[in-house]
Structure formats: structure tokens, C-alpha cells
Amino acid sequence: MTEAKRSGKLFVIGLGPGDARFLTAEAQQALSAAQYVIGYAPYVARVPVTPGQTRLASDNRVEIARAEDALRLAASGSDVAVVSGGDPGIFAMAAAVLEAIDNGDPAWRELDIEILPGISAMQAAAARLGAPLGHDFCVISLSDNLKPWEVIANRLELAARADFVMAFYNPASRARPRRIHDTFALLRRVLPADRIVVFAKSVGRAEENIAIATLGEADPSVVDMSTLVLIGASATKLVSRENAPPFVYTSRKAI
């Protein structure tokens, strides 16, 4: 009697915001055990090299195709790691893998799949600042690649009027240089000019830079795809310090 063919395991892994010190021990173990590492090329480049491991890097707009490739490899018996920056469940590959399963080969539903969390850019930026996410907040992607701008604009206005702290992912790119300007124009119609704004660029990497301004003064032209934008709520405050950058926190008391 022949043995049944072994199915592999699929890990969907968050690499954190940058430096390897942000990578969890659980993720490190899964990455070293995987036979294949699949992901957007800059993320694959951040994975420590393991001898004998195959690395498959691709463009950032082929998430579903990437997920399907990973699922086929796992179904054929390989152990596969799909990598994302930050956390894989926040605007990243976990949703793409599950969408591929939902619409793909029914056998993929039976695969051994584990999603390993990572430190998101907003968490890393918040820790640098203090506690800007200390009360109710929302997270919005400003990319209109997969949803119309009108939907984004409506959500921005509703979140601003609801007095959430807001974290913006995918704020600007070469293909979408004006959307961050549209966002600030909208927010300036709704929110007071003294609302706290943070631009957190490349948190966890050598080029990290964090700038704090007000909504009225902030220059959105400095924002790029490596920038996490935070907009404070009415309860968000600065704690000035004489010999160090200020803390930013949002009070847990209702306003």
C-alpha cells in the first residue's frame, strides 16, 4: 500500500515594520523551516537567508496570483512562507490568501494554514510617540486601487466627525501623488486646524523619521508610501519634554 501524499504547511507571516528585532520568535522559526519564501520583493529581501530555501519575489500588485502560487506549492507537499511587512492581516497577504482559498480549488480549504501576526507600522509608530492609539481609533487605506476614492472620502469624513484617531496606510505613491493632498483638504474642512498630525516615516529602519505638526501646518507633500500618517482626535495631546521629543497620547477619558 502506498502512503498518502503529504500536504505541506502554509505560513502567512508578518515581518514587522523593518529591523529584524521586530520579528517575533514564532515568525523566525517558521521562516527558517519553510522550503519556499514568497512575497513582494522588498519583503522577501528582508528575510534571513536559509540554505536550500527557494525565494520567489514578485511585484506588489499581484497579491492573488502570489497567494495561488503559495497554495499550489503547499498542496503539492511543500512548506511555504508567504511574507508581508508589518502584520499580514492589516492590508496585507492574509486577506489575499483567504480570498484565493474562497474562490479557488476546494482542496485548498483543507490545507494546514497558520497566520502569524507581526508588529504593524501603526503600532511601531505609536510606541515611538507614546500612546496616540490609547483610545478609539480607526485605520484607513488611502489607496484607491481596489476601491473608489468616493468610498474612501466618505469614510474619512465619517471617521473625522466621529472623533476617531485615524491611521492612514498607503497614503501616497508615484501613481497616486494627489490623494494625500485630497485627504488633507477634506480633513481641514471638518477638523480644527490645531488637531495633532504625525508623519512617521520608515519606522524601525535606519532612515526612520517622525515629525509632529498640526493639521493647519502639516505639509502632506512630504508623505510617501513608507510614511504612516496619524491624525489625532480631540483627546489627543502633546506632553512636552525639555531634553527629548514630546510624547503624544490620547486620553482614555471620554470628551
Side-chain angles (χ1 to χ4, degrees):
M1 181 181 295
T2 59
E3 292 186 8
K5 184 179 178 182
R6 171 190 177 273
S7 290
K9 182 162 185 174
L10 177 60
F11 296 97
V12 188
I13 298 174
L15 299 177
D19 192 275
R21 70 186 185 276
F22 290 107
L23 190 65
T24 68
E26 181 183 41
Q28 289 176 324
Q29 184 176 9
L31 286 170
S32 63
Q35 296 165 275
Y36 290 86
V37 173
I38 297 179
Y40 177 39
Y43 299 149
V44 171
R46 282 168 45 188
V47 176
V49 174
T50 298
Q53 190 176 73
T54 301
R55 299 154 74 91
L56 303 175
S58 53
D59 185 73
N60 65 334
R61 292 198 181 189
V62 293
E63 290 91 348
I64 296 298
R66 183 185 303 143
E68 291 172 342
D69 288 344
L71 289 161
R72 280 190 284 267
L73 284 168
S76 71
S78 298
D79 292 331
V80 183
V82 174
V83 296
S84 295
D87 182 274
I90 301 177
F91 304 120
M93 283 303 299
V97 168
L98 296 181
E99 183 176 346
I101 293 171
D102 190 24
N103 297 306
D105 188 335
W108 290 347
R109 296 171 184 246
E110 309 307 318
L111 290 172
D112 187 0
I113 297 172
E114 189 171 354
I115 297 169
L116 306 184
I119 298 172
S120 69
M122 68 177 174
Q123 290 173 303
R128 289 282 195 267
L129 292 158
L133 307 180
H135 200 26
D136 295 341
F137 66 92
C138 67
V139 187
I140 299 173
S141 170
L142 299 186
S143 172
D144 56 0
N145 289 332
L146 299 176
K147 60 183 183 290
W149 171 251
E150 291 72 21
V151 170
I152 300 170
N154 183 56
R155 291 174 179 173
L156 287 169
E157 180 166 355
L158 291 173
R161 295 191 184 280
D163 200 21
F164 286 112
V165 175
M166 291 176 278
F168 298 151
Y169 278 67
N170 307 314
S173 69
R174 288 189 295 271
R176 299 179 288 101
R178 296 302 308 170
R179 287 311 186 196
I180 188 64
H181 295 272
D182 296 338
T183 295
F184 270 73
L186 184 155
L187 294 177
R188 285 167 174 158
R189 293 194 297 269
V190 177
L191 297 175
D194 63 354
R195 192 57 57 90
I196 293 172
V197 173
V198 175
F199 297 143
K201 180 180 175 63
S202 301
V203 175
R205 284 170 267 175
E207 62 273 26
E208 176 180 313
N209 183 66
I210 296 179
I212 302 171
T214 64
L215 181 60
E217 298 169 343
D219 178 9
S221 66
V222 304
V223 173
D224 60 18
M225 281 294 284
S226 65
T227 307
L228 188 282
V229 180
L230 287 173
I231 309 293
S234 60
T236 304
K237 302 177 182 181
L238 282 179
V239 180
S240 60
R241 300 190 288 168
E242 188 170 332
N243 297 310
F247 284 128
V248 179
Y249 83 102
T250 301
S251 174
R252 294 178 297 162
K253 296 179 181 179
I255 298 299

